Amino acid sequence: MAGQSLTGSCFLAVVLFSGILDASLPLLQLRAVVGEIFIHELEREGFQEYFTDQPELSFDPPITFHANLLDHPDLPQWLRYIQRTPFQMGYLYGSATDKEVGTQEIEVTAYNRYTYETVRQTMVISIVPSPDGEMPYQADFFVKNWNVEEVLPTDVHELFQQAVDSMWDQEGLVVVNISSALDRGGRVPLPIENRKEGIYIKVGSKDPFTECLTEAKSPENHHRCKLEQQPVLTCYDSFSPRFRVDWCNLTLIDLTDVNTTEMVTIYGDGVLEPGPEFNPPEDAPDRLFLSDFLLTFLLTLILGLLLCLLLAYIMCCRREGVRRRDLKTSDIQMVHHHTIHDNTEELREMAGTRDVPRPLSTLPMFNVRTGERINPMQTSRYDSAQVPLILAQQ
């Protein structure tokens, strides 16, 4: 009997503990190539199926995501996450470099904002080197009328790549990176007129730049950009009207002209030399802070005391006084002052001792015809001229 109760308690504990644990999706294997844009869509429907407690609603619940490197608080440096609203899908995107070659595990947690449930999924991203190597010619376009989450879908950035193909006629064109203008110091647009944040799209190729792209950086067009005018292009602008490219912010990068000697790290200019771990000394000498204390507090106290003494001297010792004021005042002025003061006091005494009755006009209520001092409203005989206006109207 005791064994059955123990078994039932263990079973109940296992059930409760399993209810506390978050639901998990199967492990997902992904692949990223160095020098190419990596995009992964976090679909809400895929996580919504694993929520156990779902209310009967006619619309989808809001779901937000949180992505981080496994056992770390944030994502790797090359990877970014964006989700505009809880009712839209999220995106993991970025461009890996040679330093990130290897395997990285990303943990994604989905939160149901109605039931507060969570679903987790672990993604293993295998970062491999590019078989074609680094693209030596890269062009960085600034598109003003798009947000970054609107370009991340495959069909959209493929349309942009086709527009680049028409101006950069070559094969093997790849999208190297996509980043928001806010990540490069841009300002958040005002929520009016359907304004967008803007995005930077970097495209790379092995073939040199065409004349159509290089003329956008000519001295004549550079002067027009200083005058806040758009450059003049001889070729057809295949981006318009879907993509509004700011040709003044076009950046052409030629990696074949980069001097490799300039990229060598020079130790001593703010870069620490590689070495063993720093071990602080254990027997540091004791330091007395009495002199610092005296300098900090006593100096300010002495200055405050001197200021108080100076203020007291000015207020107490520099006063003229009544006697010195009277000595400096002429006798004629003093006689005039005392005459006015004495006359005023005499008039006040005379007004206080007079026996003349008060004028009738100063009484609270009187009849101008009979001279009665009683309230006319108290008797049957009263003057209608003294009736209040409101009572006369009644």
Side-chain angles (χ1 to χ4, degrees):
M1 186 69 179
Q4 294 179 355
S5 61
L6 181 60
T7 304
S9 301
C10 294
F11 177 75
L12 180 61
V14 170
V15 171
L16 293 176
F17 184 73
S18 61
I20 296 175
L21 293 178
D22 299 333
S24 299
L25 274 70
L27 187 67
L28 183 62
Q29 298 286 342
L30 300 176
R31 183 174 180 269
V33 181
V34 174
E36 296 183 12
I37 186 66
F38 167 81
I39 301 174
H40 176 69
E41 298 180 356
L42 300 176
E43 298 181 355
R44 300 173 65 257
E45 293 76 9
F47 291 87
Q48 188 175 353
E49 297 176 357
Y50 287 83
F51 290 133
T52 57
D53 186 14
Q54 296 190 21
E56 297 296 333
L57 299 175
S58 58
F59 54 89
D60 295 334
I63 299 175
T64 57
F65 301 94
H66 176 74
N68 60 281
L69 189 64
L70 189 63
D71 299 330
H72 290 76
D74 206 350
L75 288 170
Q77 186 177 5
W78 67 275
L79 195 60
R80 298 180 183 273
Y81 160 75
I82 189 172
Q83 183 186 17
R84 184 65 61 174
T85 64
F87 297 95
Q88 297 177 356
M89 65 176 60
Y91 291 94
L92 289 173
Y93 67 100
S95 180
T97 60
D98 295 330
K99 298 180 180 180
E100 284 83 20
V101 174
T103 302
Q104 294 182 352
E105 296 184 7
I106 306 298
E107 185 181 39
V108 178
T109 305
Y111 296 90
N112 189 332
R113 291 304 179 182
Y114 281 164
T115 61
Y116 302 100
E117 288 185 281
T118 58
V119 176
R120 301 181 185 274
Q121 185 180 30
T122 303
M123 305 176 183
V124 179
I125 303 179
S126 301
I127 305 175
V128 297
S130 176
D132 300 331
E134 187 178 15
M135 297 298 173
Y137 300 96
Q138 299 178 4
D140 201 6
F141 297 90
F142 176 55
V143 184
K144 298 186 291 185
N145 62 331
W146 286 81
N147 290 331
V148 63
E149 74 277 1
E150 299 173 347
V151 186
L152 293 178
T154 306
D155 54 347
V156 178
H157 65 259
E158 284 183 354
L159 288 177
F160 185 85
Q161 186 174 350
Q162 294 175 4
V164 178
D165 285 336
S166 61
M167 301 184 67
W168 196 352
D169 190 10
Q170 47 80 45
E171 295 181 358
L173 186 69
V174 296
V175 178
V176 178
N177 196 6
I178 299 176
S179 59
S180 173
L182 302 182
D183 298 333
R184 298 194 182 185
R187 295 185 177 182
V188 179
L190 296 175
I192 56 176
E193 301 177 357
N194 196 22
R195 297 185 180 181
K196 304 294 184 178
E197 297 173 356
I199 55 172
Y200 286 90
I201 303 180
K202 182 181 289 187
V203 182
S205 174
K206 289 186 176 182
D207 297 337
F209 303 113
T210 59
E211 184 180 358
C212 183
L213 294 177
T214 55
E215 68 178 359
K217 307 300 294 183
S218 61
E220 294 80 7
N221 288 328
H222 183 68
H223 178 67
R224 293 178 61 89
C225 291
K226 288 184 177 181
L227 301 177
E228 297 183 357
Q229 301 177 2
Q230 284 295 323
V232 177
L233 302 178
T234 58
C235 58
Y236 175 71
D237 187 1
S238 58
F239 297 98
S240 181
R242 189 176 182 84
F243 301 98
R244 291 174 51 195
V245 176
D246 187 0
W247 293 103
C248 291
N249 285 333
L250 175 65
T251 304
L252 302 179
I253 305 172
D254 188 359
L255 298 180
T256 58
D257 296 338
V258 176
N259 190 0
T260 56
T261 58
E262 297 179 357
M263 303 179 63
V264 176
T265 304
I266 301 177
Y267 295 101
D269 296 339
V271 181
L272 296 177
E273 298 181 2
E277 184 180 358
F278 173 72
N279 295 321
E282 298 179 356
D283 53 347
D286 297 335
R287 182 181 175 185
L288 298 178
F289 294 94
L290 180 60
S291 59
D292 297 337
F293 172 78
L294 296 177
L295 182 63
T296 303
F297 291 94
L298 291 184
L299 181 60
T300 56
L301 183 61
I302 293 174
L303 291 177
L305 182 60
L306 292 177
L307 291 177
C308 291
L309 293 176
L310 180 61
L311 183 62
Y313 171 75
I314 294 174
M315 296 182 63
C316 300
C317 301
R318 301 291 296 178
R319 296 181 62 183
E320 293 184 355
V322 178
R323 184 172 176 274
R324 296 183 61 183
R325 184 195 63 184
D326 294 342
L327 292 176
K328 291 183 178 181
T329 307
S330 61
D331 295 338
I332 298 177
Q333 187 175 357
M334 292 297 297
V335 170
H336 179 70
H337 172 73
H338 287 294
T339 303
I340 296 175
H341 182 72
D342 295 340
N343 294 336
T344 303
E345 293 294 334
E346 184 179 359
L347 290 175
R348 289 180 179 177
E349 292 178 0
M350 293 173 62
T353 58
R354 64 183 179 180
D355 296 331
V356 181
R358 296 178 57 186
L360 296 178
S361 59
T362 61
L363 296 177
M365 179 66 71
F366 79 103
N367 195 316
V368 297
R369 296 181 180 179
T370 62
E372 295 179 345
R373 299 186 181 183
I374 62 174
N375 190 351
M377 301 299 296
Q378 302 291 336
T379 61
S380 59
R381 296 182 299 104
Y382 62 90
D383 191 0
S384 61
Q386 300 297 324
V387 177
L389 180 61
I390 298 179
L391 296 179
Q393 291 177 353
Q394 293 178 356

